[in-house]
């Protein structure tokens, strides 16, 4: 159980305790190749999937048939833990392996048994689910802005508030940020360059200096 002890879901639980708690618990270790589909959008989420090695991507198919990348999930993380429970617990995205990937699967009934056996696992699960829900809420918030400039302005102002200075450091790469906003990376980079040309900020890779905070505020009002 040492390979599970490093996973955030089992933080603070010793391998010995994990071995005891998993006694009699149904679980499976599965291997996926690059391009394999782990779950399809709309499938019932009846098992907890924990990435041990590799990475997957979550993509959503809209009504026009367009594939929209939502996020990359890199080991060691769980896949869609928030959707294991609920009245309509289905995968909101299609999950595809980016590379050779190793997954530890625990059926829903076994997850419930583990909850009863170990409160720390239950607490970790609830904390990670709450963080995931907050991330989804943030994405919906940024989607409410029509332009990339508005999305960037709101995001930079949030970092300004957190870091309490005009010289801020992005907490995501441009690729991660473009995925977060649901836009292409070239479009994001182009808009960032335009904002610099307009004198709103100075961009140096992940370091941003805000020059006109009031103008950024007006953009999102």
């Amino acid at each position: 159980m040492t390979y599970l002890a490093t996973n955030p879901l089992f933080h603070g639980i010793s391998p010995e305790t994990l071995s005891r708690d998993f006694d009699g618990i149904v679980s499976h270790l599965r291997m996926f190749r690059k391009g394999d589909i782990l779950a399809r959008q709309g499938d019932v989420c009846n098992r907890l999937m924990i990435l041990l090695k590799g990475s997957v991507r979550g993509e959503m198919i809209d009504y026009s048939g367009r594939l929209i990348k939502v996020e990359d999930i890199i080991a060691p993380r769980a896949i869609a833990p928030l959707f294991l429970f609920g009245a309509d617990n289905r995968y909101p995205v299609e999950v595809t392996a980016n590379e050779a990937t190793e997954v530890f699967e625990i059926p829903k009934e076994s997850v419930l048994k583990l909850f009863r056996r170990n409160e720390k696992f239950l607490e970790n699960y609830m904390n990670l689910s709450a963080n995931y829900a907050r991330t989804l809420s943030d994405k919906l918030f940024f989607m409410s802005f029509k332009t990339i400039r508005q999305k960037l302005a709101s995001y930079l102002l949030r970092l300004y508030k957190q870091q309490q200075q005009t010289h801020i450091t992005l907490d995501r790469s441009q690729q991660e940020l473009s995925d977060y906003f649901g836009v292409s990376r070239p479009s994001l980079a182009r808009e960032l360059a335009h904002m610099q040309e307009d004198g709103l900020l100075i961009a140096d890779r992940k370091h941003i200096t805000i020059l006109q905070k009031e103008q950024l505020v007006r953009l999102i009002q």
Side-chain angles (χ1 to χ4, degrees):
M1 287 297 167
T2 53
Y3 53 85
L4 286 182
T6 59
N7 189 281
L9 276 171
F10 303 101
H11 177 72
I13 305 174
S14 68
E16 295 76 21
T17 300
L18 276 178
S19 295
R20 185 190 66 226
D21 291 340
F22 268 88
D23 184 39
I25 290 291
V26 176
S27 61
H28 308 281
L29 190 62
R30 298 182 63 189
M31 310 293 183
F32 296 91
R33 295 171 300 179
K34 180 179 179 179
D36 284 350
I37 295 176
L38 285 69
R40 295 190 181 276
Q41 184 177 338
D43 283 354
V44 174
C45 184
N46 56 11
R47 65 200 187 281
L48 174 62
M49 293 194 290
I50 302 172
L51 288 179
L52 299 181
K53 294 179 182 177
S55 67
V56 301
R57 63 183 180 274
E59 297 173 313
M60 185 174 290
I61 304 172
D62 67 12
Y63 290 106
S64 68
R66 185 177 51 143
L67 203 61
I68 303 170
K69 183 178 176 182
V70 177
E71 67 172 333
D72 282 309
I73 303 171
I74 302 171
R77 277 183 59 191
I79 300 172
L82 191 63
F83 298 95
L84 185 59
F85 301 97
D88 189 22
N89 55 321
R90 297 178 183 274
Y91 288 99
V93 296
E94 182 164 289
V95 183
T96 307
N98 289 326
E99 57 190 305
T101 300
E102 189 173 318
V103 176
F104 187 74
E105 293 187 353
I106 311 174
K108 182 178 178 179
E109 296 74 15
S110 295
V111 173
L112 290 170
K113 286 182 182 178
L114 287 172
F115 284 163
R116 290 190 288 268
R117 292 182 181 183
N118 196 307
E119 288 187 3
K120 183 62 178 175
F121 170 63
L122 173 59
E123 180 185 353
N124 290 342
Y125 193 101
M126 293 178 69
N127 285 336
L128 288 171
S129 295
N131 292 339
Y132 187 59
R134 185 167 58 248
T135 299
L136 289 178
S137 177
D138 284 345
K139 286 192 175 185
L140 287 173
F141 173 74
F142 287 115
M143 285 174 64
S144 68
F145 295 112
K146 294 182 179 180
T147 68
I148 299 175
R149 180 168 293 209
Q150 287 177 316
K151 296 176 193 289
L152 273 168
S154 178
Y155 188 76
L156 294 175
L157 287 170
R158 178 177 293 190
L159 289 181
Y160 167 79
K161 184 176 180 180
Q162 292 173 354
Q163 299 178 20
Q164 293 293 307
Q165 56 182 355
T166 56
H167 303 284
I168 59 177
T169 302
L170 299 180
D171 55 358
R172 288 174 168 84
S173 67
Q174 280 200 13
Q175 184 60 61
E176 291 170 336
L177 198 55
S178 61
D179 291 342
Y180 194 58
F181 289 160
V183 301
S184 70
R185 185 180 180 278
S187 297
L188 179 72
R190 189 162 49 246
E191 187 54 55
L192 201 55
H194 289 334
M195 292 176 75
Q196 182 164 260
E197 291 170 2
D198 293 342
L200 297 175
L201 52 83
I202 297 174
D204 180 16
R205 297 185 180 182
K206 295 186 74 171
H207 301 286
I208 304 289
T209 301
I210 296 175
L211 300 179
Q212 296 191 42
K213 174 175 168 286
E214 294 76 15
Q215 185 62 28
L216 294 182
V217 172
R218 281 196 289 271
L219 278 171
I220 63 174
Q221 287 180 339

